[in-house]
Amino acid sequence: MAVPKRRLSRANTHSRRSQWKANNQALQNTRIDGQEVAIPRRLVKAAKLGLVDLDR
């Protein structure tokens, strides 16, 4: 006989979801205006064009 799926309690659902963790962005060392900076790879082109404030 088929058994219906059981509903997870809210505590079990939240504790299961809490195990997910984001990874840190990999930083790339780049020389911009004679200054060595470590920024995410997706921002390198924008930083070289001067669109990103690197002083932050």
Side-chain angles (χ1 to χ4, degrees):
M1 181 173 174
V3 178
K5 291 182 181 178
R6 292 187 185 151
R7 180 177 179 203
L8 280 178
S9 69
R10 185 176 214 168
N12 285 344
T13 301
H14 288 167
S15 66
R16 177 173 44 84
R17 288 181 181 166
S18 70
Q19 298 305 312
W20 180 87
K21 293 175 180 63
N23 293 328
N24 289 336
Q25 279 285 342
L27 299 180
Q28 181 174 350
N29 292 328
T30 308
R31 183 172 296 280
I32 298 173
D33 297 332
Q35 180 182 0
E36 189 75 24
V37 292
I39 55 176
R41 185 168 178 251
R42 62 189 177 89
L43 294 178
V44 171
K45 186 175 181 181
K48 287 185 178 180
L49 293 173
L51 301 174
V52 177
D53 184 21
L54 297 175
D55 294 333
R56 282 211 217 165

